[in-house]
Amino acid sequence: MGKKSITNEGGKMNNKEKTLDECFDAAIKKYGDMVYRIAMNQMKNGSDADDIFQEVFIKWLQHHNEFQNDEHEKAWLIRVTINQCKSILKSSWYRKTSEMGEKLENTLSYTDVVKEEGTLDEILNNLPEKYRIVIHLFYYEELSILQISQALNEKESTIRTQLTRARRKLKQLLKGVELDV
């Protein structure tokens, strides 16, 4: 990255002149964990989440001058992360490779090791994607229903309904499970 300075809308430098590198580093420090958590929540795979993280921040570099404020930037990053996850999950390459990986995993003897159940993340992964994302954004990212509806381009009533249904499903999944808290 170059040492290009960021200017305000009028093209004038402000007193707190920042280089693109500094702005990029600040964005990663501020939003990097959030982007990665959303990607992991959707993809359930660290290497795919890494790829999405990289793609999202490459897109951030292309659009960094368009943000009106921090809230707009955060909402944009959430939306881009979710869209990136969806595009990978829908791709024929991903479907074919994940099917092949599952077949391979079933044939290997070391995968017969019994997994311990009971962690909240494992239980959340059993929820359908539309419920997982609203639970994640509401509880982990602490977004309001309005902010979630804007990020997902859904009506507020739809988000409320999805949260209610997700809570119900979670309650069913949690019956009889001891969590390590």
Side-chain angles (χ1 to χ4, degrees):
M1 278 183 251
K3 293 290 181 185
K4 180 181 172 187
S5 296
I6 306 298
T7 59
N8 62 16
E9 291 176 2
K12 299 177 185 175
M13 302 286 216
N14 55 18
N15 294 336
K16 297 178 184 177
E17 179 181 310
K18 288 186 178 182
T19 65
L20 181 56
D21 287 344
E22 292 168 338
C23 290
F24 184 73
D25 290 343
I28 287 180
K29 284 179 187 170
K30 190 170 187 177
Y31 302 112
D33 287 342
M34 176 194 70
V35 168
Y36 190 78
R37 282 192 310 266
I38 293 170
M40 274 298 289
N41 178 274
Q42 294 298 291
M43 303 304 295
K44 303 177 190 176
N45 178 322
S47 60
D48 289 335
D50 290 339
D51 291 343
I52 288 168
F53 180 91
Q54 183 176 352
E55 288 297 319
V56 167
F57 281 101
I58 287 171
K59 289 181 183 199
W60 180 92
L61 282 170
Q62 297 166 344
H63 298 276
H64 69 275
N65 286 329
E66 299 172 13
F67 305 120
Q68 299 160 359
N69 53 39
D70 287 349
E71 189 175 311
H72 179 231
E73 183 177 27
K74 182 178 180 179
W76 185 89
L77 285 166
I78 290 169
R79 183 74 251 156
V80 170
T81 304
I82 292 168
N83 286 344
Q84 195 67 34
C85 291
K86 284 181 179 180
S87 68
I88 288 176
L89 289 170
K90 287 179 183 178
S91 72
S92 63
W93 176 85
Y94 181 82
R95 283 181 289 184
K96 288 176 184 174
T97 57
S98 64
E99 287 173 13
M100 186 171 59
E102 287 173 11
K103 288 177 185 174
L104 180 63
E105 195 174 284
N106 291 336
T107 62
L108 299 174
S109 62
Y110 68 85
T111 58
D112 293 337
V113 176
V114 177
K115 294 180 182 177
E116 261 187 54
E117 291 188 1
T119 66
L120 186 56
D121 287 337
E122 288 173 2
I123 293 169
L124 287 173
N125 285 337
N126 290 328
L127 289 175
E129 179 187 343
K130 66 181 179 180
Y131 297 146
R132 229 179 23 249
I133 192 63
V134 294
I135 288 286
H136 181 83
L137 293 176
F138 189 78
Y139 290 107
Y140 289 86
E141 303 303 330
E142 298 179 349
L143 296 180
S144 69
I145 290 175
L146 174 64
Q147 291 170 320
I148 296 170
S149 72
Q150 291 169 343
L152 299 179
N153 291 329
E154 296 281 352
K155 294 179 183 176
E156 286 182 61
S157 59
T158 302
I159 300 302
R160 274 192 219 92
T161 301
Q162 287 177 345
L163 268 174
T164 302
R165 290 178 180 167
R167 290 177 186 134
R168 244 185 254 136
K169 284 190 176 286
L170 273 176
K171 187 175 180 179
Q172 290 172 349
L173 291 171
L174 289 171
K175 282 186 180 177
V177 174
E178 289 184 34
L179 291 175
D180 299 329
V181 182

